[in-house]
């Protein structure tokens, strides 16, 4: 396979990447044949896979708009993925031009394209780091340069937790992030769930597909997701299917379980 100019030499373009598969679901062009093959295998196992990505992206947009309209001016988006229309900085800075955003992703393609998009934007930056290394993220010079953790910060962990294994202790990771946040800060979470879909065989097939990629899949139910908000006050309507989180219209929340993603928003109390 010929390596395009935009693909860093350090990446394995023969192995599917979850970030590039997600890009494919959203109609993006920064993916390779192995990514597309794995994404199509996932769509064969779970036909709603593109809907899942779109619903999750819409959840991200509504959460960021809610936060910006609530006065939050600092955002830390961990697992931000390959840039597509409707990034956090676009939404937040449309509401409040002084909003500051740091993107974090482990995928070099996502980071490289984020740098291109953010060139010239002094209030947004990107770093390459792993959610499983919260101390490295919090202490990164670009993070500390742009974000003031003595003031409220919104941490976005959207569509990434299902790639964090139980032995990596996601509750500890989120607890470390929580401990760094000032009162009035927020944590937004979403991840794949099979709640109400057991018996369909989709979970086993999805896990089989993702074993071929750079990240395995770990499904969690609503109770587990609620538990990950320990130390936060859940914002109404709590942890729900993502189309049900403050929908723009009643119709947009219909058949919400088809989205497969559950999510919520928690606030650090005063």
């Amino acid at each position: 396979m010929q390596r395009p100019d935009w693909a860093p030499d350090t990446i394995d373009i023969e192995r599917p990447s979850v970030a590039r598969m997600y890009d494919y679901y959203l109609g993006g062009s920064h993916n390779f044949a192995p990514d597309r093959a794995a994404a199509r295998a996932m769509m064969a196992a779970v036909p709603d896979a593109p809907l899942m990505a779109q619903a999750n992206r819409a959840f991200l947009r509504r959460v960021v708009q809610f936060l910006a309209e609530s006065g939050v001016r600092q955002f830390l988006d961990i697992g931000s993925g390959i840039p597509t229309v409707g990034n956090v900085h676009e939404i937040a800075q449309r509401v409040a031009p002084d909003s500051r955003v740091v993107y974090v992703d482990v995928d070099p393609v996502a980071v490289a394209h984020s740098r291109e998009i953010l060139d010239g934007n002094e209030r947004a930056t990107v770093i390459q780091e792993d959610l499983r290394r919260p101390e490295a993220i919090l202490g990164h010079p670009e993070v500390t340069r742009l974000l003031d953790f003595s003031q409220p910060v919104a941490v976005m962990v959207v569509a990434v937790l299902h790639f964090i294994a139980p032995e990596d202790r996601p509750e500890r990771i989120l607890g470390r992030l929580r401990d760094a946040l000032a009162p009035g800060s927020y944590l937004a979470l979403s991840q794949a769930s099979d709640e109400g879909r057991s018996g369909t065989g989709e979970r086993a097939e999805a896990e089989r597909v993702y074993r071929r990629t750079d990240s395995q899949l770990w499904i969690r139910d609503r109770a587990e997701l609620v538990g990950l908000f320990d130390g936060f006050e859940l914002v109404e309507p709590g942890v729900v299917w993502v189309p049900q989180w403050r929908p723009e219209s009643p119709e947009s929340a219909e058949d919400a379980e088809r989205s497969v993603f559950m999510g919520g928003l928690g606030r650090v109390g005063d």
Side-chain angles (χ1 to χ4, degrees), residues 41-91:
M42 177 64 177
M43 291 160 62
V46 185
D48 286 332
L51 171 68
M52 294 159 48
Q54 293 158 13
N56 192 72
R57 196 71 185 179
F59 167 75
L60 173 71
R61 174 175 48 77
R62 296 195 307 277
V63 167
V64 173
Q65 181 146 351
F66 168 84
L67 291 168
E69 291 175 349
S70 299
V72 176
R73 296 293 178 265
Q74 302 188 105
F75 297 83
L76 179 60
D77 186 1
I78 306 176
S80 50
I82 293 173
T84 57
V85 174
N87 281 302
V88 171
H89 75 280
E90 294 174 327
I91 302 163

Side-chain angles (χ1 to χ4, degrees), residues 1-22:
M1 185 188 308
Q2 185 174 359
R3 182 182 295 271
D5 294 339
W6 52 262
D9 293 336
T10 54
I11 68 169
D12 180 0
I13 64 175
E14 300 290 343
R15 188 180 188 189
S17 154
V18 296
R20 298 192 299 268
M21 289 171 65
Y22 194 73

Side-chain angles (χ1 to χ4, degrees), residues 59 187-191 193 195 220-230 233-245 261-266:
F59 167 75
L187 171 69
L189 294 180
S190 74
Q191 87 138 74
S193 174
E195 181 124 345
R220 295 181 174 91
D221 60 24
R222 186 195 305 264
E224 290 174 292
L225 265 176
V226 170
L228 291 175
F229 280 101
D230 182 44
E233 303 167 353
L234 278 169
V235 175
E236 289 295 331
V239 175
V240 293
W241 296 112
V242 291
Q244 296 173 332
W245 198 90
F261 279 89
M262 303 197 83
L265 179 68

Side-chain angles (χ1 to χ4, degrees), residues 171-190:
E171 71 284 354
R172 186 200 68 83
I173 294 169
L174 297 176
R176 178 65 187 91
L177 294 169
R178 180 197 62 227
D179 291 345
L181 298 177
S185 295
Y186 289 86
L187 171 69
L189 294 180
S190 74

Side-chain angles (χ1 to χ4, degrees), residues 232-269:
F232 293 88
E233 303 167 353
L234 278 169
V235 175
E236 289 295 331
V239 175
V240 293
W241 296 112
V242 291
Q244 296 173 332
W245 198 90
R246 298 178 178 260
E248 293 173 342
S249 68
E251 293 76 21
S252 64
E254 292 178 357
D255 296 326
E257 68 278 1
R258 289 183 59 201
S259 71
V260 179
F261 279 89
M262 303 197 83
L265 179 68
R267 183 179 184 276
V268 178

